[in-house]
Amino acid sequence: ALVKTTTGQFVPAAVAKPASAPPDPTKVQGPPPGAVGTRSPFEQLAKKTSDTSSRTPLQSLYGTITPSDLHFERHHGGVPVIDPTAYKLVIHGMVKKPMTFTLNDLKRFPSVSRIAFLECSGNFRSGKQEMTPQEICGLTSQSEWTGVMLSTLFREVGASPKATWFLAEGSDAAVMTRSIPMGKGWNDAMIAYGQNGEALRPQQGYPARLFLPGWEGNTNVKWIRRIEVSDQPFMTREETSKYTENIKDGKIRQFSFDMDARSIITFPAYPVQLDKGWVEIKGLAWSGRGKILRVEVSVDAGKKWYPATLQEPVLDKAHTRFRFLWKWNGNETEIMSRAIDETGYTQPTLQQLIDARGTDMGGYHLNPITAWIIKRDGSVLFKPEKWK
Amino acid sequence: ALVKTTTGQFVPAAVAKPASAPPDPTKVQGPPPGAVGTRSPFEQLAKKTSDTSSRTPLQSLYGTITPSDLHFERHHGGVPVIDPTAYKLVIHGMVKKPMTFTLNDLKRFPSVSRIAFLECSGNFRSGKQEMTPQEICGLTSQSEWTGVMLSTLFREVGASPKATWFLAEGSDAAVMTRSIPMGKGWNDAMIAYGQNGEALRPQQGYPARLFLPGWEGNTNVKWIRRIEVSDQPFMTREETSKYTENIKDGKIRQFSFDMDARSIITFPAYPVQLDKGWVEIKGLAWSGRGKILRVEVSVDAGKKWYPATLQEPVLDKAHTRFRFLWKWNGNETEIMSRAIDETGYTQPTLQQLIDARGTDMGGYHLNPITAWIIKRDGSVLFKPEKWK
Amino acid sequence: ETKIITEMPATFGIGRKATNAEIKAWDIDVRPDGKGLPYGSGNATEGKVIFTQKCAACHGKEGEGGAYARLVGAMGDTVKAKTIGNYWPWSTTLFDYIRRTMPYNMPGSLKDDEVYSLTAYLLYRNKIIDSTKNMDAKSLPKVVMPARQYYVDDDRRGGPEIR
Amino acid sequence: ETKIITEMPATFGIGRKATNAEIKAWDIDVRPDGKGLPYGSGNATEGKVIFTQKCAACHGKEGEGGAYARLVGAMGDTVKAKTIGNYWPWSTTLFDYIRRTMPYNMPGSLKDDEVYSLTAYLLYRNKIIDSTKNMDAKSLPKVVMPARQYYVDDDRRGGPEIR
Ligand code: HEC
Ligand code: HEC
Ligand SMILES: [Ca+2]
Ligand SMILES: [Ca+2]
Ligand SMILES: [Ca+2]
Ligand SMILES: [Ca+2]
Ligand SMILES: [Ca+2]
Ligand SMILES: [Ca+2]
Ligand SMILES: [Co+2]
Ligand SMILES: [Co+2]
């Protein structure tokens, strides 16, 4: 099967799909070990693309790691091709010594790895019953990120204690820029160059990106080339015209960085055809504010809630797999999940969000409970809700 | 660049390497989001292949997850092509009810995920100074595995409490078979169908394999089709003629399942050219018997040992990233690491292994400390040791 | 003798001093206080000409939107789209954004005077300045955007509260 | 009403009973006690003929090794390779392994009689049985392999000890 790559080419998904598997695989020698493994031609995994984004097929994935080639994408100027030997990161502004680092330099500093999610703050779609988890909230993915702590670089350049914000700038055609509080930079920000064991993929910022655990995707500036240390925010287009949201009383919320707790049941979900009997309800839960403390599942449209099992280890600011064993008796019902994080926050309903933000509520930072309707015939449908 | 796939074809490593990156990537729109991401054409990652195996490039990887297409391979009949819709697993023998499970059946049972290493017990090469970590011990890799606990299936078929061993059989051309104690089956054995978020790769047993955390690779029967529950081992060729080792007094050790604790410095390592000054020594440590408790590093040929930093979370039977900050003054020296696991076991020297097993010591389960010689000119060389 | 240091050193001595030239080449940002604005100027009349040539194909003849975003919609108009006039809080952002990334198909190709002119034109079209007003490093930061007053910093405070 | 069960049920009711036919088709293993050995028989003389045709190309004219493994080397010989004669602990393994996977280029293609004959031939060539001895489900498990006595179960016990 052909798939469209990020460079717009159509290439075979892995190796070309064989006409058929041999009737008895024990009777024929298979191919020997190879330099690069392949995806089974029987597995057709793909992101769902639009002009500006591509969405992770959450309903098709296991565990918590997102295969790097299925990590969601959201760019504002496409995916730049960057020669790693020409790459440099400049840090200047309110620093003792403005400095330039090559990619090799970045890799020579003490390094750190962490498994964490990355989610676009625009990660919410609704509208019809025939929607998959991928379509509803496929703009979240998880990787093991490796890089150097930004604090290490701040120490190296002598960032001023008086500085309060820094500008992160990418080297894509959008020359993407975001203003970030220095506190985040000193705390847990990374300049990441590794993703799931290998170099970052071009779609995720190769050869280096800003990674801000738990913060909205857009702030995690990809293909980063420059950091300017400052004592005020820069008010770039992305943090004003975009990535801000209408709230009550005509107000517009800016610098809303943290991704609030959220969860979604990824099985059973549209377009699954469910069989009666035992069902392991499975899904993902995450919070940009810390660890997932608990996930609760309801199988009666939200009347009663039961704790789901969390897959250990539960990590800080990470997709956490939850599971809940349920025997479906064949009656129509609604199932849903809600995440509770270690700050005590409980994932709200859409109505609670409207109550809090007003009916002019903007499209970012929407993390409502997702409900699935299970019909008597076993079909599973998304339950869309409107507010505008 | 062309790479050899497991099907023996030569295909482009990712997309074809562009002639060059644009001089200024901010001046040209990049390609839009795609259905499947790509590896940067500037990153040329490959396993090192022989007729029977291919080795993970440990020195080129970050963090702890092995990209699935770089997971080591060791087959005895090549990689079978298996149609997932035709797949079935038969469990019979000392069971109340012999049963057949489709792949879909396996996925309907309660599932579990764990990040763990998988290592071939023949994972040791030596001989010359010009050897990379990949060549010395590239037959170990790590994935997030997802599947059903074998104990769940044993309960479903009603495995006899009197049973002591089971046979696991693959559907490759080797019809690979190993006898496994029921204790392991009831304890932490999995039938895995997921690897790093997606379906197992064909090279790792698609669509389902046995996964035995911490046990020698060969016992983790890939492409599993049959389990026979028994009250004695079957004494297959793999557990007699192969995967046994000579020890002292002419004895031959059989059923040596556990992989003892081991570590290796992956940076700096051959063929790195080291610069004077601060160096983050990095490597991997793992134990088939539990968690890594501590990794110690020596930078003076084993005279003094210092504790390295372990990347959290330290997981059971998992590759654990260790790091140690060192300022190299330019003098010739030897650096090395040793893993200590939670059972109190300390990774031995080759001499300690010879002392314990005799000079006829076989080639499996060799986990000696690996030393790297750092020359004044910054070249880093493996220090091979002989015992035969 | 090998020196073992378990604490982080004050510096690692990795990387090099950035040259003024390389900072200057990349330091294109513009702050609300005008810091970063270059020499040059332009007005709406000049801007309209350039807009017609380089922008109208995507954003509509006079910025009313086309294949891509509507750019015009003064505060209080019936326009539903978020526009410069009804949503953008800082005038400097316009200069910064146009210069760094527009026109989309030739990002970073505009001269500073052109950017000033386009900025003036779009401010004029959004009824924020009049058509004769010259935009430069001094005047642009002084332009107060109608939506500025509605902006508040993130009012979520963490913890149980839903906001 | 929906029933919530937090403990594992005794069975999930997933999967189906295996048919005798499908078990029989796959249940090809042979245990040291002979369980699993099929009807049929063969001897070294018959085996030599088959070996020459189907095995010698890879393992040498008489099993002395070639492109692939040496199969012959009686206990005490000067042969360094691990062989059936000097390393294999159970005779049944030979039948099981040859039947399931040899010849390498046509795995699973041999008839049971052929496998008995090849087994007899290789045991004979390794000086374990004589050339006339018939191998079948009764006699094969009784063949005691010279290396059997050296096998011990894993003697590593975990903990600090290096073994
Ligand atoms: C080839 C199409 C194209 C051309 C030509 C073009 N633009 Fe754009 N413009 C876009 C796209 C697409 C976006 C949205 C980019 C994004 O958000 O990633 C955009 C966004 C903008 C925005 C931000 C709108 C908002 O509400 O945030 C402004 C302002 C803008 N363009 C001005 C201009 C000007 C001035 C020119 C001419 C110099 C121009 N554009 C030429 C396609 C174009
Ligand atoms: C095309 C080559 C080829 C042919 C023909 C072939 N073999 Fe093999 N044989 C191999 C290879 C390769 C191996 C090793 C397989 C492995 O370990 O994965 C092997 C292994 C063996 C072993 C195990 C050796 C050991 O020490 O563990 C036996 C026994 C054997 N073959 C017997 C036979 C017999 C009997 C035949 C003929 C019916 C035969 N072989 C035909 C290639 C061949
Ligand atoms: Ca985003
Ligand atoms: Ca192995
Ligand atoms: Ca600046
Ligand atoms: Ca002018
Ligand atoms: Ca059997
Ligand atoms: Ca016969
Ligand atoms: Co926000
Ligand atoms: Co072993």
Side-chain angles (χ1 to χ4, degrees), chain B residues 297-371:
Chain B
V297 168
S298 174
V299 290
D300 59 2
K303 286 187 213 82
K304 293 195 280 322
W305 292 87
Y306 303 91
T309 305
L310 302 185
Q311 179 69 60
E312 296 286 338
V314 175
L315 300 176
D316 188 38
K317 298 170 185 132
H319 279 177
T320 302
R321 180 62 66 174
F322 69 87
R323 302 185 175 98
F324 181 76
L325 205 50
W326 175 53
K327 192 165 189 176
W328 182 48
N329 60 11
N331 287 342
E332 179 159 332
T333 190
E334 271 175 40
I335 63 170
M336 58 192 80
S337 64
R338 66 182 179 205
I340 295 109
D341 73 16
E342 59 179 347
T343 74
Y345 178 88
T346 300
Q347 182 184 0
T349 59
L350 188 68
Q351 191 53 55
Q352 284 177 294
L353 288 171
I354 298 167
D355 292 348
R357 300 182 192 171
T359 44
D360 285 339
M361 175 167 82
Y364 295 105
H365 293 281
L366 295 177
N367 60 331
I369 289 172
T370 301

Side-chain angles (χ1 to χ4, degrees), chain B residues 72-76 118-123 139 178 209 216-220 222 243 364:
Chain B
F72 86 86
E73 298 176 52
R74 175 73 180 95
H75 325 298
H76 291 263
L118 183 64
E119 183 183 18
C120 177
S121 57
N123 189 24
L139 296 175
R178 285 297 301 257
R209 78 177 302 164
E216 61 181 13
N218 181 259
T219 63
N220 295 255
K222 290 179 282 198
Y243 303 105
Y364 295 105

Side-chain angles (χ1 to χ4, degrees), chain A residues 27-44:
Chain A
K27 304 274 174 174
V28 46
Q29 284 293 324
V36 180
T38 52
R39 185 166 283 158
S40 166
F42 293 101
E43 296 291 320
Q44 300 297 335

Side-chain angles (χ1 to χ4, degrees), chain D residues 41-42 46 113:
Chain D
S41 70
E46 294 162 352
D113 275 0

Side-chain angles (χ1 to χ4, degrees), chain B residues 76 88 90 92 98-101 105 108-110 152 155-156 167 169 173-175 177 225-226 228 230-237 240-241 244-247 250-258 260 289 343-346 348 352 356-357 365, chain D residues 8-20 22-23 25-33 35 68 82 86-90 92-93 96-97 100-101 104 107-108 147-163:
Chain B
H76 291 263
K88 55 185 190 176
V90 173
H92 70 114
M99 291 187 76
T100 299
F101 303 100
D105 290 337
R108 283 179 59 205
F109 281 103
T152 304
R155 293 174 80 238
E156 196 72 20
L167 184 78
E169 185 176 272
V175 207
T177 39
R225 75 172 191 184
R226 185 171 71 95
E228 181 169 343
S230 167
D231 56 5
Q232 52 184 270
F234 293 75
M235 299 301 179
T236 72
R237 179 256 193 174
T240 53
S241 168
T244 53
E245 52 268 4
N246 289 101
I247 51 172
K251 296 286 177 203
I252 300 166
R253 185 189 275 163
Q254 68 183 356
F255 299 126
S256 49
F257 295 122
D258 300 89
D260 283 321
R289 297 188 190 265
T343 74
Y345 178 88
T346 300
Q352 284 177 294
R357 300 182 192 171
H365 293 281
Chain D
M8 281 255 204
T11 75
F12 287 94
I14 299 171
R16 62 167 172 80
K17 197 167 188 319
T19 66
N20 286 338
E22 69 189 338
I23 295 174
W26 283 2
D27 185 7
I28 56 171
D29 58 85
V30 174
R31 288 199 322 203
D33 61 4
K35 190 169 173 229
Y68 296 105
K82 291 175 182 172
N86 68 25
Y87 201 80
W88 288 44
W90 302 99
T92 47
T93 310
D96 177 271
Y97 182 72
R100 69 173 59 239
T101 193
Y104 196 69
R148 175 72 203 96
Q149 55 185 312
Y150 303 118
Y151 275 73
V152 292
D153 282 346
D154 190 6
D155 57 346
R156 296 172 305 159
R157 290 168 297 196
E161 189 189 23
I162 288 150
R163 276 204 120 160

Side-chain angles (χ1 to χ4, degrees), chain B residues 360-382:
Chain B
D360 285 339
M361 175 167 82
Y364 295 105
H365 293 281
L366 295 177
N367 60 331
I369 289 172
T370 301
W372 300 100
I373 300 160
I374 302 186
K375 301 280 213 183
R376 295 188 76 88
D377 66 2
S379 58
V380 183
L381 295 167
F382 175 51

